[in-house]
Amino acid sequence: MDVLNDKNTSIIGIWGMGGVGKTTLLEEIRRQAGEKKLFDMFFMVTVSQTPNFESIQQKIADMIGLEFTEKTPEAKAERLRWRICEMLKEKKLLFLVDGVWGEIDLEKKVGIPYGENYKGSRIVLTSRSRDVCDQMGCKPTYQVEGLNDDEAWGLFKGIVGEIVESADRKHIAKRIVGKCGGLPLAIKAVANPLKEKSLSHWEVCISELKGQNLKSVVREALQFSYDYLSKPYAKEMFLLCCLFPEDEVIDIQDLFRLGLGFGLFQNTTTLDTAMAEADVLVDYLKSSSLLLESDREGSVLMHDVIREFAISVASRDKHLFLVGTHQEFICWKRNHAFTRCTAVSLQIDVVPEFPYEWECPELELLKLEGKDKQPLVLPSNIFKRMEKLRVLSMTDIQMMSLPASFEDLKSLRTLCFYKCLLKDISIIGELKNLEILSFCDCDIEELPKEIEKLTNLRFLELTNCKNLRLVPSSVICNLSNLEGLYMRSFSQWKVGKDNASVEDLKKLSSLVALEVCIPNDNLWPDDLVFRNLTRFKISVGDAFYHEDEHLFSHSSKILELKTNTTFKEGFNMLLKIAGVIHIEGTNALHNLNEYNSPLLKCLIIKKCQEMKYAIDTTKSAPLIVFPLLEILEICDMDNLQELYLGMLLRESFGELRKLILKGLPQLMNVWKNPTEHASLQKLRVLGVSCCHKLKSIFSLYMVRDLVQLQEMKVSQCEALEYIIDGERNGDGHENLFPQLNRLELENLPKLQRFMSSLNALATSANCGSGVLEPFFNNQIAFPKLEFMIFSNIDGVREIWTSKFRLEMSFPQLRLLNLGSLLNLTHFWNMNSNENIHMEIVPAVEDNARRLIEFPCLQYITLEKLPIFESFQMGGHALFDGKVAFPSLKRLTLSSVPKLMHVWENMDGPPAHVSLQNLISLDIGYCDTLKNVVSCERDKTMAAAEEIEVGRNTAEVIIFPALETINFHNLPNLTSFFARNGTLFDEKVAFPSLKELNLYGVHKLMHVWENMDGRPAHVCLQNLISLDILECDNLKNVVSCEKDKTVAVAGEIEVPGNTTGVIIFPALKMIYFRNLPNLTSFFAGNGTLIDEKVAFPSLKQLKLYGVHKLIHVWENMDGRPAHVSLQNLISLDILDCDTLKNVVSCERDKTVTVTGEIEVRGNTTGVIICPALEMIHFRNLTNLTSFFAGNGTLFDEKVAFPALGSLELGVLNNITELWSPQVQVESFCQVKTIVVEGCSKLLQIVPPRLLQIGIETITVKRCPSVKSLFVLERLAVDEREASLTFYHLKYLMVCGLPKLEYIFDKKVSYPAMQKLWISDMDGLRDIWQTQQSSGSFHQLEGIHVERCHKLLTVVPSYLFPELQSLKRILIEYCDSVEVIFCDDSGQLLPATVTLPHLQYISLHHNPVLGSFCHHKCDFEWPSLRKVRLYGCPKMENFPFANMKAPRLERVVSDSTDNEITGDTSIVTGDGFSDKCYYGDECDRFNSRIHTCIIN
């Protein structure tokens, strides 16, 4: 465990053979690290031999509450990495990665950051190979060699029992254990079958363990365990588990479905008993150590070694299971393995070439698993020779239709689709023998009517099919043998004439399992009563569309009701047998007496306004109420006065773990005296909020019952004065809450103390004399409290009494968060005359000083404390010499206006015990703060050690672990310690500092001092991020007084010259914003970075509003600061209105920085940024070039070979982006160009760069641009040749008044997908002349708006190229007359076919009359939606000559046509639409008889 604490260790490797116990060791590491609180969060993931990175990403995201919007694994990895990096700023994270088979970049593939830059992240991984650990960079690595003899014997004995010590068995047991070679997997495999078995079985075991090596021992042990499976179908169930992918969580319901179809459970008569048998078999396999527990409810895992064994067993003899990927599939085809196999499980990473017809006469089970719903086209006859197929399962596959041979599957019993996109599946109706049909997490819109033919169907699942809108009524009514129906995601009951109604459920007399969601209780028939249900999840009411998985894990019988009427008979029946009940909004419920079921485990009651007492026993004898209830939530009940009235027996609520009371304004008591009426000894979580009549939460008698309470949160109770009402006599401490771990008190305006005082007169006298009553008195102890959060409690003036003994009262406190305590002045008064109990802690320099120590406190947050001054009453700083926090990691201070210093430095050392582990320091909105460490008497103290600066030894205050400093809105801060105007001088040191953020620290002139040749270099060596914002007086980052240049950490050679420079070796990000007086980083005047500073690791540079900058980099004497360029990835410069060049070009000296690039045979020195990927320049009104050009942004003297994105805005002195001489290899990776508001710009892309791979071009509001791609400068022979823009996919042009056309015939665009044109006042043609063939065959969208001189949109010669077109939008174009024009003598074809066109939108085109000049037919098979507004001359949309079978919606404002009845297109100046869907559209089309074509 010690290596986990080593800051220099980031990734640890554990290796050993399969089954040796690596996974168990990981789990033990997690347990011990958790007990010792070494990390804040733990993540355990499994990689496996074929990693599913998205599944791993999702598991981690679920644990940290992250929802992905990204689609690709790479984007998810980057999002996850960013989120984890943010968490690492304040938390330590441990990642346990199990089962790594090969080298993996965990940061890029998954998103787990690690390495020297992420000290808070640790990874422990396991692998079977030491080589893999070495490839992953594991240091150190450990081999797991198995258990020693004593450990192996202990494990075997623990499973089998004391019988192993008997005289007749001990020697045999010793031999068995010895044969297992210390492998836990083998020991468990043989031990479990031997429990309660006779001696002869033990002797058989010895005879079967003959292995000569460990691998064979494991195999033989597993074979022995497998052979001893005695329950019927246990072996078959075990083998079914190997069909699932390696390390996948196996849902027991999935096993049940496969097993039932495969012929298991034949001795059961009902579906319910079969489900129960599946559960029993899974438990049996777990007890035999052949399956493992899973973290997810209702699922299991199979160890990869056991899975390998299961596959080997299932692949031999009569079974012949084939399990593999598409690579194995190819081998199977070659050796004709299909002809003999009974089960196939195939994972499809790429779409395989399936044989036209599978020769699988013995195949009974086929499982196909794709990835990301990839399209799959199966040959029509693929199932022709699968006469015995009983089970077919498909996962993550997209299928437009099922193959015709589907109807030949006469033996099929189980058909399952998981996460599939399905369209035409009507052929399923031919599978007459089908018993189980499952669509789980599928994208399916309607259930085909043909399914009503499946009269033998016993189980139908439509779980989480969110797009399902039609389930035909006849389907439900005809499935009379249905025993299980799962369709919670369907809500369209009785919507439309064909949809199913709840009434149809009455026809299902055999139903035993039901999951449905009914949006309204009126849909539930009065006579619908389910008397045979054994499993159900039924929601009635519109509030229950999103399942609470944690809630549903408590029972298989769940009922949620939202109704304002009396419960119907069917509801009452279910309420009496449910395990989870959620009732909301009914006024007919007066108490819960009637539903006092011993089966109930979770009860949630909300908004039942007629209820005054949840339980009322005044008219009956005392009752035992809810004896097994674990969760009780009562919320938003305006009239509830008491939880119970009358007498309850002691066993009542005996299992209650969680009690939530919220929004109960009339509630008088949380609980009456439990010692007489009920017991709350198992209560762990208590939440009370918005209960405005409560004056206290507990009585003292009740508190003594709460021995297991772990979490308490009380908030928004306006009258609450005390948490505990009553104080006992005596002075000793009492552990009233021995297990309390978390205490949250928020928005309690009248709360004064935790426990009330018996002597009210004494309290009143104390208040009158000015003596403050502390919140906690000396009689309360919280031995396990770790988290204490208080906010908005006006009555708190002092936290602790001076008598308290911290080591007994709060010894485990880790987090203290106090906010908006308006009257809090200090934590305690150490000057009181009362007897003070303190822990004695030795101070530095062998001086004994009495300290109050918080030994475990790691996080302190103080916010909005307007009169708070210090921990100790009368202190001059937050921390003085009387308090210590040796474990403090994060300190956050915000809006503490009276705070002048954080640490005191008077007459001795500061409280260094609070510094040694501090990682993060965040201070903001502390208006009077002058120094972080008090510098009174100007005494410099050695706090913990000395650091050598240059050749001088100076005493410094060291923060050895501090990684992050955030100072924001500190108007009076002048320095960290002693110097005026300089934040850090030679008297403080931060050797671990990584991130420095300064916002609104207006009195700062410098960040670091450089006096007498000694800058505070100890702050620089690990600095990664520097962010400075709105520091109005900042002149230089490093003070340049006396203009002394020093060698700080080393020297960098700049070609031909050796100069001492200040190096920031690890700095990756510089972000300067709104710094009006900043002139340079160090010594330059107007140049940010000169030869005296270096940033060899710099990746991001962002400069916003730095108004005195003229250059960013200096190029004096042939030495630009190239060390700042070599790793630069991102360069953002905005609102720097005096900037002339990015790199200074004084004396016009061209230099070779990092290398040379050959330009047309010449070798010319160029400035290279080899890693630069993104440039963003905006509002640089004086910029003339990047380096040396005048009006040309990039000339041949600069090269950015990795540049991918170029975004430019308001560069008023730039006339061209690239010079004609620029070399292709200098900008060969550009993908995106965005240009906006460059008033003098004439052209965008020179001919040389047309072929480099540009994918997106956006040009907006550039009034001088006459053409996008300048061809005039080409040589004569080059002009005649055709140029190709090979990669351009997206083009947007907007506000270019001098542009008359866009596309020239000499340039082709084979990859163009989207075209957006707007506000082009001079545009007359989009296409100037006929284009070369193949230019626009991938074009999907055309959007044209506000182009008032444009007459037509698409010329006729382009039609053969537009077969991919999906969307056309033409809006606000005053002169457009037709969309498709006949041009150059070439007429449109008689039938205009656009096979993929889905959407047409025509808005406010006043002269638009038709789609084309002559009459033709239109075939648009994919068209779904048409919008037609403000086009008065478009008298009829061409429906009569149009074939659009998928048209769903038509919206228009035109009434000029003569259309009657329900087919009319309704008008409205206010755009009141009438929409037509489905069949309406078909009727609408058939009644239109004319089409006016101009």
Side-chain angles (χ1 to χ4, degrees), residues 279-295:
D279 291 336
V280 169
L281 286 177
V282 168
D283 287 340
Y284 178 57
L285 292 173
K286 287 193 293 185
S287 68
S288 301
S289 297
L290 294 176
L291 291 180
L292 304 173
E293 290 281 359
S294 166
D295 291 338

Side-chain angles (χ1 to χ4, degrees), residues 817-832:
N817 190 328
L818 304 180
S820 299
L821 306 183
L822 303 184
N823 293 302
L824 183 69
T825 59
H826 54 273
F827 282 9
W828 57 76
N829 180 6
M830 295 293 291
N831 298 318
S832 170

Side-chain angles (χ1 to χ4, degrees), residues 1175 1191-1196 1198-1200 1203-1208 1214-1224 1226-1235 1241 1243-1250 1252 1254 1257 1268 1270 1273 1285:
I1175 291 178
T1192 300
L1193 185 60
F1194 305 121
D1195 60 12
E1196 68 277 11
V1198 294
F1200 310 122
L1203 186 67
S1205 175
L1206 177 63
E1207 185 173 344
L1208 309 172
I1214 300 298
T1215 58
E1216 61 181 357
L1217 303 185
W1218 286 276
S1219 71
Q1221 290 77 32
V1222 72
Q1223 295 300 294
V1224 171
S1226 296
F1227 294 90
C1228 57
Q1229 296 296 323
V1230 176
K1231 295 290 188 293
T1232 301
I1233 299 174
V1234 178
V1235 183
L1241 190 65
Q1243 54 92 12
I1244 307 301
V1245 182
R1248 289 180 183 272
L1249 300 184
L1250 288 181
I1252 63 174
I1254 300 173
I1257 295 178
L1268 298 178
V1270 177
R1273 295 182 181 177
F1285 224 140

Side-chain angles (χ1 to χ4, degrees), residues 990-1009:
F990 311 97
S992 300
L993 187 64
K994 293 181 179 180
E995 184 177 345
L996 176 61
N997 303 311
L998 306 174
Y999 304 160
V1001 188
H1002 298 303
K1003 289 192 176 183
L1004 280 187
M1005 298 177 67
H1006 314 289
V1007 180
W1008 284 278
E1009 182 184 36

Side-chain angles (χ1 to χ4, degrees), residues 96 143 331 478 593 762 765 861 1003 1058 1152 1324 1378 1441:
L96 303 162
Q143 182 181 6
C331 298
N478 285 300
N593 291 19
T861 299
K1003 289 192 176 183
T1058 302
T1152 303
R1324 296 182 180 275
V1378 295
N1441 296 68

Side-chain angles (χ1 to χ4, degrees), residues 132-145:
V132 172
C133 292
D134 293 339
Q135 292 166 4
M136 293 289 293
C138 297
K139 291 182 181 180
T141 61
Y142 300 95
Q143 182 181 6
V144 181
E145 296 182 323

